[in-house]
Amino acid sequence: MSITSDEVNFLVYRYLQESGFSHSAFTFGIESHISQSNINGTLVPPAALISILQKGLQYVEAEISINEDGTVFDGRPIESLSLIDAVMPDVVQSRQQAFREKLAQQHQAGGGSVAASGGQAITVKNGETTVNGQENGTHDLNNHAEPMEVDGDVEIPASKATVLRGHESEVFICAWNPVSDLLASGSGDSTARIWSLSENSNSSSTQLVLRHCIREGGQDVPSNKDVTSLDWNSDGTLLATGSYDGFARIWTKDGNLASTLGQHKGPIFALKWNKKGNSILSAGVDKTTIIWDAHTGEAKQQFPFHSAPALDVDWQNNTTFASCSTDMCIHVCRLGSDRPLKTFQGHTNEVNAIKWDPSGTLLASCSDDMTLKIWSMKQDSCVHDLQAHSKEIYTIKWSPTGAGSNNPNAILLLDAVGVCVHTLTRHQEPVYSVAFSPDGKFLASGSFDKCVHIWSTAVSTASTDHQNQWSRIGQKKNGLLEFESCRLVLQKENLFLIILLLF
């Protein structure tokens, strides 16, 4: 067996990337000299570190289940062996001994009989059966008293699904063109791709490959850096991309490079077009945000107000924007102003994402401090401090409803009162992505459990009983609302989405 520090470092680096720790991955990559290793990252599958850890757990479980003479242990000596359990000294002997003592106590008590069924111990007591630790075969889902109406899984036929193949590494992000059937995707293979998904086209033959290159020795060579952000302009004619190589780029929808924007000194974490389409806003690890002229590719203004990497940005209007950082601050800035218009402070850990509501009146922010806060330019303190999550919150989305949206008469989710409408608990692993349908009537959630759930957001404001007002109507791909960070990939509990109804 051969294990090198370069291999371990690379797997840790990839785990940090896949778990959403973008800036931590960058720092670790620099300190461990990932770029100087000879490992071909395109050959390493996603979740490689988790996979090898799971195999290690299975090996320890096998050790516990086998006696020293090679015979199978009589019974099931382990219950939910965790990663920390597995690395404890003498875990095999202690688990086997503990189970022997438990069996002896059960036989001595004589209060019930133990039988092996499918590898599970089933104890009969008082005529009732305990299945997997729950009486009468029921399961306690995180102590949520309200059951949800759940339709059966919907099997999507192969004829209705399109698989887009071409990327040589993980796909981190994708974005639909707002006016045509084009989908842009960004990957760890240092390319973005534009896929044509019109009914009369062959998507596998019409993909456009946007190679992200840097100039070295008078030649363009692949940057070998991840494409981290994508955004189409409002009329769908131009695509902007941000990369770990520190450059933002503007491409035509035909795949031609229009401009290279190069003033950041390090990876770009976020990038957004304004609605007018004449400016691009970017945030980087160099602690700055920059407004770029989309026509000339020149920087209009650089804003050096954060004291740590800037993680996200969002336009309030065509000249004013908000930015957040690991420094726990949120700044609202305007083109032409040499200081922030407003600084919001209140989070106690790094702020991961921010989003203005459709009207540009309220700003939502989420943080590693496990809170979601709503801010208004009319006051310094937050309007609402929403504390319902038990883990870090990685991103947020407003529903496309209410004032300023294309659905002005529909209820806005995430607005003013902060009432928790429902907690969605169907996923078995951390939730990676969320997105509303354009009309705001459906919510899709994607998780590390390899499932996509679609939820109906129909809510009756005349009723206070929300028991059957949220339903999972099937499984399909799309995005959605607010989700917990997938930082504990091995966590066994159902991670969840919290949907907030704001009147």
Side-chain angles (χ1 to χ4, degrees):
M1 181 182 295
S2 174
I3 300 177
T4 68
S5 59
D6 281 348
E7 292 171 336
V8 174
N9 289 340
F10 185 82
L11 292 181
V12 172
Y13 170 73
R14 286 284 289 273
Y15 167 74
L16 291 172
Q17 283 187 321
E18 294 165 355
S19 300
F21 294 99
S22 299
H23 47 290
S24 297
F26 170 75
T27 303
F28 182 78
I30 295 297
E31 292 183 348
S32 58
H33 305 290
I34 291 295
S35 62
Q36 299 177 18
S37 70
N38 296 321
I39 299 172
N40 186 351
T42 62
L43 301 179
V44 180
L49 179 61
I50 302 306
S51 177
I52 199 67
L53 289 174
Q54 289 173 335
K55 290 178 181 179
L57 280 175
Q58 291 172 351
Y59 181 84
V60 176
E61 289 180 356
E63 277 191 304
I64 297 175
S65 301
I66 298 175
N67 289 306
E68 293 182 359
D69 59 2
T71 60
V72 178
F73 197 90
D74 183 19
R76 182 177 175 82
I78 60 171
E79 295 178 2
S80 62
L81 186 65
S82 72
L83 188 61
I84 300 301
D85 292 334
V87 300
M88 291 299 176
D90 303 323
V91 61
V92 175
Q93 294 82 356
S94 61
R95 282 298 181 104
Q96 289 181 343
Q97 181 61 30
F99 192 69
R100 289 191 185 98
E101 294 175 355
K102 181 179 178 181
L103 286 177
Q105 291 175 358
Q106 289 175 342
H107 284 299
Q108 290 175 0
S113 61
V114 177
S117 174
Q120 290 283 6
I122 302 178
T123 303
V124 181
K125 55 180 183 179
N126 300 326
E128 298 179 350
T129 303
T130 299
V131 181
N132 293 332
Q134 299 291 337
E135 293 187 12
N136 302 320
T138 61
H139 295 267
D140 181 14
L141 294 178
N142 293 338
N143 297 319
H144 291 288
E146 291 188 5
M148 289 181 290
E149 177 187 343
V150 179
D151 295 345
D153 290 350
V154 177
E155 187 71 25
I156 299 176
S159 60
K160 298 293 184 181
T162 300
V163 180
L164 307 177
R165 303 185 188 278
H167 281 296
E168 299 173 356
S169 187
E170 304 97 326
V171 177
F172 295 125
I173 190 169
C174 59
W176 286 103
N177 185 292
V179 298
S180 59
D181 292 327
L182 297 176
L183 179 69
S185 57
S187 168
D189 61 9
S190 73
T191 73
R193 296 176 190 242
I194 299 176
W195 312 79
S196 177
L197 298 177
S198 59
E199 294 182 357
N200 58 358
S201 70
N202 185 338
S203 62
S204 62
S205 62
T206 58
Q207 61 174 288
L208 301 174
V209 181
L210 316 181
R211 301 193 182 280
H212 289 57
C213 298
I214 56 177
R215 198 75 175 170
E216 283 187 1
Q219 294 182 334
D220 289 333
V221 297
S223 67
N224 294 321
K225 300 294 184 181
D226 303 339
V227 177
T228 58
S229 50
L230 294 169
D231 197 34
W232 291 95
N233 65 350
S234 58
D235 60 10
T237 58
L238 296 172
L239 175 71
T241 62
S243 171
Y244 254 67
D245 63 11
F247 291 94
R249 295 169 174 85
I250 302 175
W251 312 78
T252 68
K253 67 177 182 179
D254 298 322
N256 297 316
L257 180 62
S259 299
T260 299
L261 319 178
Q263 192 160 314
H264 278 294
K265 294 180 174 62
I268 294 173
F269 290 146
L271 178 146
K272 303 279 179 66
W273 286 89
N274 66 351
K275 189 173 182 179
K276 188 176 181 180
N278 64 333
S279 297
I280 296 174
L281 176 63
S282 61
V285 74
D286 60 3
K287 310 175 187 178
T288 73
T289 55
I290 299 177
I291 293 181
W292 307 85
D293 187 315
H295 302 299
T296 65
E298 299 295 326
K300 291 183 177 180
Q301 186 173 348
Q302 189 164 14
F303 302 84
F305 303 130
H306 286 293
S307 60
L311 300 183
D312 196 21
V313 287
D314 196 44
W315 291 98
Q316 182 187 29
N317 52 48
N318 287 316
T319 58
T320 305
F321 69 93
S323 63
C324 65
S325 166
T326 61
D327 64 8
M328 302 180 287
C329 292
I330 301 168
H331 295 309
V332 179
C333 304
R334 178 175 295 158
L335 181 64
S337 177
D338 59 359
R339 64 183 62 185
L341 303 180
K342 196 88 168 178
T343 295
F344 295 122
Q345 293 178 304
H347 283 293
T348 58
N349 209 325
E350 58 190 61
V351 185
N352 293 317
I354 50 175
K355 194 71 176 176
W356 290 99
D357 77 328
S359 69
T361 303
L362 298 173
L363 179 69
S365 63
C366 63
S367 168
D368 278 0
D369 64 11
M370 301 178 289
T371 71
L372 183 151
K373 301 183 190 296
I374 298 177
W375 312 84
S376 170
M377 293 293 287
K378 298 178 180 179
Q379 62 187 65
D380 294 332
S381 59
C382 63
V383 178
H384 295 292
D385 187 7
L386 308 176
Q387 303 182 25
H389 281 291
S390 59
K391 299 294 180 184
E392 298 90 342
I393 307 174
Y394 185 64
T395 195
I396 45 179
K397 294 286 178 66
W398 291 89
S399 64
T401 53
S405 73
N406 292 327
N407 309 285
N409 297 323
I411 297 173
L412 177 65
L413 296 179
L414 247 178
D415 184 6
V417 173
V419 177
C420 180
V421 176
H422 221 301
T423 302
L424 311 180
T425 60
R426 291 287 295 180
H427 285 295
Q428 303 299 315
E429 295 288 345
V431 179
Y432 264 97
S433 59
V434 290
F436 282 101
S437 61
D439 59 6
K441 294 181 179 180
F442 299 100
L443 186 66
S445 57
S447 166
F448 201 73
D449 61 10
K450 303 179 183 179
C451 290
V452 176
H453 296 320
I454 296 180
W455 312 79
S456 170
T457 62
V459 177
S460 171
T461 56
S463 172
T464 57
D465 179 10
H466 300 294
Q467 178 171 325
N468 294 315
Q469 294 172 355
W470 291 84
S471 64
R472 184 175 66 94
I473 63 170
Q475 296 183 352
K476 193 176 179 182
K477 289 187 177 179
N478 229 333
L480 106 143
L481 170 65
E482 170 198 339
F483 63 96
E484 293 233 351
S485 166
C486 34
R487 302 200 172 180
L488 297 177
V489 180
L490 288 176
Q491 185 164 335
K492 299 296 184 183
E493 298 85 12
N494 292 342
L495 296 194
F496 50 85
L497 297 159
I498 298 219
I499 312 302
L500 297 167
L501 174 62
L502 307 172
F503 301 102

